[in-house]
Amino acid sequence: MKDLQQILLAYQKCKDRNQKAALATVVKVDGSAYRRPGARMLVTEDGELTGAISGGCLEGDALRKAQTVIFQQKSMLVTYDTTDEDDQKFGVGLGCNGIIQVLIEPLEFEDESNPAELLKVALSDRLPSILITAFSLKNARGEQIGTRVLSKGGNTFGKIETLDSGLSEKIHLEIHTNTENRVSTIKQYPDPEEIWVFYEAINPPIRILLFGAGNDTIPVTKLAFLMGWELTLIDGRKNHATTERFPSASKIIIEPADRAVSGLNPDKNTVALLMTHNFEYEAVVLKDLIPYALPYIGILGPKKKTDKLIARLESEGTKVPTENIYAPIGLDIGAEGSEEIALSALAEIKAVLAKKNPDFLKNKLGPIHGER
């Protein structure tokens, strides 16, 4: 998400300066690669790069090809085969073992449906989107269909009408089927011309509702900002919850406990951290969070404290589901001090939302990334 945010900032600068640019996107990977489909890099006509499509191995060659795309104003599909034993051909040892397809598209500022403009629509609010990119491996040397369509909130943006009618019907059927819990997929359509379509799920950034404006929550806001996550800080103390202390927070709300949750409108990508060090405040907040069924509620402090919170609420007649409550917060990485605790907590949030069971990657059988 951070990459996309930075790419769109760079795109806007190019647009303001009328500086030509192209967008390189990883659209298909077979085998092992440093980045997966959806990784992007914006290239300007004078060689500025924003984002990445690899760990630094492919960027130099992709830069040269992107400048050709900018000059010719025609899209290009580039294949990088890192299964070749002679992996010095790009000037460095790639250290991967996969075939990577990279689509490079010119960004025409007058075209309101160019790939960057569609990405702007995708990130304009917290509704999930599906971005559709079509390409041909059979006709890899030819101009590609490219990124044409965005599906969001039941609406379609872009130029689906310019696609072949048969392909258009297949895409329309796909984006209106199984709309819940969409994940990115790649599908091949043999007719009419063996077209591959990358359906990229673009979900809103993780949003943290951080209750507590003590000194120990400052690292949480800084790390969340670094990750490109949204963070709303909520506290009842106006002298603690200030922009001077929390410049990285997306929003600061100063409310007493009984009004702290109202108006927050959390979605399925929203989590909560209770770090107020105030038992009574958190008892009220936890009760008000329960109806939203957040995927993650982290509570700072010993487990005994959380047990007391739950017992208090249940004694008052509030049923407390515990499957989404994580207390004490964080993964067991031996964290000490507020910075390490922040790292532990955000790593746990990422693991929970990604539905991963944290472990050392060296213990993982098979590829690091799930197949698409």
Side-chain angles (χ1 to χ4, degrees), residues 135-329:
F135 56 97
S136 171
L137 298 181
K138 183 177 181 180
N139 186 31
R141 294 184 178 275
E143 186 171 5
Q144 300 297 311
I145 296 172
T147 307
R148 294 284 189 91
V149 181
L150 179 82
S151 174
K152 180 176 185 176
N155 298 313
T156 300
F157 304 85
K159 296 181 176 179
I160 195 168
E161 72 279 357
T162 64
L163 300 176
D164 171 270
S165 59
L167 179 60
S168 176
E169 289 176 8
K170 293 181 177 74
I171 289 174
H172 188 273
L173 179 63
E174 176 66 24
I175 61 181
H176 289 89
T177 303
N178 300 323
T179 55
E180 292 296 320
N181 301 317
R182 292 298 298 264
V183 296
S184 297
T185 57
I186 298 173
K187 294 201 170 185
Q188 182 184 17
Y189 299 106
D191 298 321
E193 299 177 359
E194 296 187 20
I195 298 296
W196 291 82
V197 178
F198 175 33
Y199 297 94
E200 181 182 3
I202 301 179
N203 293 309
I206 295 171
R207 179 169 61 183
I208 299 177
L209 305 178
L210 175 57
F211 297 88
N215 291 342
D216 59 345
T217 63
I218 292 175
V220 176
T221 65
K222 291 181 177 179
L223 187 53
F225 178 79
L226 181 64
M227 297 289 290
W229 298 1
E230 294 180 7
L231 185 141
T232 298
L233 179 74
I234 308 106
D235 197 288
R237 302 166 295 177
K238 63 180 180 181
N239 59 327
H240 282 66
T242 65
T243 55
E244 289 77 19
R245 281 167 48 79
F246 296 94
S248 301
S250 305
K251 187 177 182 180
I252 295 177
I253 296 173
I254 301 169
E255 290 286 5
D258 59 352
R259 294 205 301 268
V261 175
S262 61
L264 292 177
N265 298 318
D267 54 34
K268 65 179 183 179
N269 262 28
T270 300
V271 302
L273 287 173
L274 277 56
M275 302 178 66
T276 67
H277 301 277
N278 184 325
F279 184 90
E280 297 300 329
Y281 194 99
E282 291 184 5
V284 176
V285 167
L286 180 58
K287 178 180 179 180
D288 290 344
L289 286 174
I290 289 172
Y292 293 102
L294 301 184
Y296 177 99
I297 298 175
I299 303 176
L300 184 68
K303 192 174 189 306
K304 186 180 295 185
K305 169 196 167 182
T306 299
D307 291 341
K308 287 177 63 178
L309 280 171
I310 294 172
R312 159 78 73 85
L313 295 183
E314 294 196 335
S315 71
E316 296 172 352
T318 299
K319 171 70 174 167
V320 182
T322 57
E323 62 273 9
N324 64 333
I325 292 179
Y326 294 79
I329 60 172

